Amino acid sequence: MADLDKLDKNDARIPTVIADELHIVYRVNGAKTGKGSATSALSRIVKRGEERGVRKVHAVRGVSFTSYRGEAIGLIGSNGSGKSTLLRAIAGLLPAEKGKVYTDGQPSLLGVNAALMNDLTGERNVILGGLAMGMSREEIKARYQEIVDFSGINEKGDFITLPMRTYSSGMAARLRFSIAAAKDHDVLMIDEALATGDRKFQKRSEARIRELRKEAGTVFLVSHNNKSIRDTCDRVLWLERGELRMDGPTAEVLKEYEKFTGK
């Protein structure tokens, strides 16, 4: 991953992410259990020079695109098509097997499985999450109540003072999104977070994404909910089997995707 430091920040079409023939390959240990001691097995591996049974999974295949400031981009595709893998590569969490990813600013990845500390209260997680995103303690203090209200987790009780382990998965996901959305991001990537809340929370989330776009950021949204994509995004990347099948205006891409899926 490289920075686009030399680009003119006043350019209305400044790129935020460039993927250039990007390939991501996972290596999965699929070796079968054999007979003998661990020592003898290790000896055989060393002699071979490479462990037998390691499979390569080509999750992203030659994907190229450029995103720009002010865009909200939906990522769609069948399960296992490479959407989440692509976001993790943009965030710098996965190395490229081939090709490159260039980013302007700091990309932030928000997923429904993003780590919060279960033994700490929601209140403490808001503070730690804000600090992890680079917010000062003063900024967190000023936005704390806004974060709690946005998440809606206190609507049925004082849950913000309880340990995270007492939260439902939906409550935890709403709090994650609320913490991440409290800060303006250069590139914010959201992996299915909007699918976890009720329609009221989804509406708030979609409105916040539009605000983030106005602050000259770029938002990527992975969702299986085509309505959320329509309501939020002006552009869509459609991935299938790791390949970029279509890149264009939301209405055009979703029309073709819905023909493909029969939905």
Side-chain angles (χ1 to χ4, degrees):
M1 187 173 69
D3 290 329
L4 304 177
D5 294 327
K6 298 181 180 180
L7 294 172
D8 181 3
K9 301 291 184 180
N10 295 318
D11 186 347
R13 290 286 290 172
I14 184 169
T16 52
V17 176
I18 298 174
D20 182 17
E21 285 295 319
L22 181 64
H23 292 258
I24 303 295
V25 176
Y26 290 108
R27 285 167 175 80
V28 181
N29 186 354
K32 297 180 180 179
T33 302
K35 296 181 180 180
S37 67
T39 301
S40 61
L42 178 60
S43 177
R44 290 195 300 272
I45 291 170
V46 170
K47 289 178 180 178
R48 284 199 302 265
E50 182 177 348
E51 185 177 356
R52 186 177 300 166
V54 174
R55 295 189 300 117
K56 291 184 178 180
V57 179
H58 205 154
V60 172
R61 301 170 178 267
V63 169
S64 296
F65 69 88
T66 301
S67 67
Y68 298 90
R69 288 189 179 274
E71 285 189 314
I73 301 174
L75 268 68
I76 62 173
S78 306
N79 288 333
S81 60
K83 304 182 297 294
S84 296
T85 298
L86 178 60
L87 292 191
R88 289 174 61 81
I90 293 170
L93 301 176
L94 291 175
E97 182 81 5
K98 184 180 177 183
K100 291 185 179 295
V101 176
Y102 303 90
T103 64
D104 179 53
Q106 178 61 47
S108 302
L109 174 60
L110 170 68
V112 294
N113 295 319
L116 290 179
M117 303 188 72
N118 281 334
D119 289 333
L120 298 182
T121 65
E123 180 179 17
R124 190 65 181 158
N125 273 292
V126 169
I127 295 169
L128 294 178
L131 291 172
M133 290 194 305
M135 297 170 66
S136 68
R137 289 187 178 272
E138 291 73 21
E139 288 176 315
I140 297 168
K141 184 177 179 180
R143 300 185 186 184
Y144 173 80
Q145 195 58 50
E146 177 186 339
I147 292 170
V148 175
D149 292 345
F150 190 99
S151 72
I153 64 172
N154 266 8
E155 290 177 354
K156 296 183 180 180
D158 191 21
F159 282 96
I160 196 68
T161 62
L162 297 178
M164 286 285 299
R165 64 174 178 269
T166 66
Y167 292 13
S168 68
S169 59
M171 289 169 63
R174 294 200 304 272
L175 186 59
R176 289 186 194 98
F177 180 88
S178 301
I179 294 169
K183 181 179 183 292
D184 293 333
H185 297 266
D186 298 314
V187 178
L188 177 61
M189 296 171 288
I190 305 167
D191 192 350
E192 289 290 7
L194 301 190
T196 61
D198 57 22
R199 190 57 191 158
K200 182 179 177 182
F201 178 75
Q202 289 175 19
K203 285 288 187 182
R204 289 201 300 268
S205 302
E206 290 163 4
R208 179 56 182 144
I209 289 173
R210 286 189 284 271
E211 290 175 5
L212 289 167
R213 290 172 56 192
K214 291 178 182 176
E215 295 299 323
T218 303
V219 178
F220 289 86
L221 173 63
V222 170
S223 180
H224 290 288
N225 185 332
N226 289 354
K227 188 176 189 307
S228 289
I229 296 288
R230 281 193 174 90
D231 292 345
T232 309
C233 303
D234 48 5
R235 176 182 171 191
V236 170
L237 305 179
W238 173 14
L239 296 177
E240 286 297 338
R241 297 184 178 181
E243 297 180 348
L244 183 58
R245 182 158 181 160
M246 192 172 180
D247 173 4
T250 298
E252 293 180 15
V253 179
L254 283 181
K255 181 180 179 181
E256 294 303 314
Y257 178 65
E258 287 166 352
K259 285 182 184 178
F260 176 78
T261 60
K263 296 180 180 179

